[in-house]
Amino acid sequence: MKSLLLVATGGAAGAAARHLLSQASMRWLGPAWPYGTMAANILGSLLMGALAGWLAYKVDGGRDLRLFLGVGLLGGFTTFSAFSLETALMIERKQFANAGFYAAGSVILCLMALFAGLYLARKAFA
């Protein structure tokens, strides 16, 4: 039961943070591109890498932190389903180049961000 509460609480906070980021990106950058989703996924990947590195090197009892921060908070913050929908909508609108750039760019940038987070955590905590 404790693990469920950790994940649920973290997930709620992550989803709220993602919503705020999406709203801010719409105000600042407009609706022409899914900036909020891409930013959430890249930032979430960076933070996930940093979290994994931190938990691997420095934390005793990291299970609860992994559940709250990794599964809950970052799981609620990042959004593969929104990414998939936005890509599909671009394809339906025949915006094939945009869909390709968005899909490839999201995957590549998220992987790069995750490795950057791991690298930073290893440097900071190893």
Side-chain angles (χ1 to χ4, degrees):
M1 187 61 154
K2 177 184 174 186
S3 61
L4 179 61
L5 290 174
L6 289 168
V7 171
T9 304
R18 181 181 71 235
H19 176 70
L20 291 173
L21 177 62
S22 293
Q23 293 298 307
S25 71
M26 288 287 276
R27 272 193 314 276
W28 298 334
L29 302 169
W33 185 265
Y35 296 108
T37 301
M38 194 167 194
N41 287 337
I42 293 168
L43 179 59
S45 295
L46 174 70
L47 294 173
M48 185 65 82
L51 176 65
W54 180 59
L55 290 174
Y57 289 103
K58 285 294 182 188
V59 177
D60 292 329
R63 180 182 176 276
D64 288 350
L65 285 172
R66 181 185 60 80
L67 288 172
F68 176 74
L69 296 173
V71 178
L73 184 72
L74 293 176
F77 183 67
T78 59
T79 173
F80 191 77
S81 58
F83 157 77
S84 299
L85 175 63
E86 290 159 351
T87 304
L89 290 173
M90 288 179 195
I91 292 169
E92 287 181 344
R93 292 183 199 126
K94 300 187 181 350
Q95 298 172 336
F96 301 114
N98 278 347
F101 286 127
Y102 181 55
S106 291
V107 171
I108 291 167
L109 291 171
C110 287
L111 284 170
M112 289 172 59
L114 186 116
F115 278 113
L118 278 171
Y119 174 82
L120 293 171
R122 288 175 179 156
K123 288 293 183 186
F125 304 115

